[in-house]
Amino acid sequence: MKARSDMRTPLARARGLGGLPEGAEHWTAERVSALLLGPLSLWAIAQILRLAERDREEILQWAGKLHNAAPLGVLIGLTARHMQLGLEVVATDYARGWRRVWLRLAIRFGCLMLAAYGGVSIMKILQTRTPDTTR
């Protein structure tokens, strides 16, 4: 049997490669989120070790301060985004057709719900820990 010759140009062949149409942007977003998560993760680990022997009330008091809640919220949001980006790469590699579309939608929805739950939790802690100045 004779091999079929591909009449496409090298650029036309390269355009069809890869599962994500926005591959470069996806790759950059993964690297930027990983870079930002580094120092935030070190901060979180240091805070966890510092608060390890404290009781629940002291931890809530710590989390109720804006200068602690803000980086905690950013950490939750960035972690959810980084997780979404990584899981989408896996879904793109192993799923085809309509399954890929639905899997990516499920991943995005799940990560959004996790980030929203974390954000609402932090807001709730801030609301209960902020002194009421109207009284």
Side-chain angles (χ1 to χ4, degrees), residues 57-126:
E57 191 58 37
E58 287 177 289
I59 294 170
L60 286 174
Q61 200 170 30
W62 172 85
K65 295 178 181 166
L66 189 59
H67 65 274
N68 293 323
L72 203 53
V74 172
L75 178 68
I76 290 169
L78 273 174
T79 301
R81 176 70 172 144
H82 189 73
M83 179 175 64
Q84 174 205 342
L85 293 167
L87 288 173
E88 282 184 357
V89 169
V90 173
T92 300
D93 288 345
Y94 293 105
R96 297 286 175 251
W98 61 272
R99 286 187 180 108
R100 177 187 295 175
V101 174
W102 285 106
L103 191 54
R104 287 184 70 193
L105 282 174
I107 289 168
R108 287 180 180 191
F109 180 75
C111 291
L112 179 64
M113 289 297 103
L114 285 173
Y117 183 74
V120 167
S121 298
I122 290 174
M123 294 302 289
K124 196 171 183 182
I125 291 171
L126 278 173

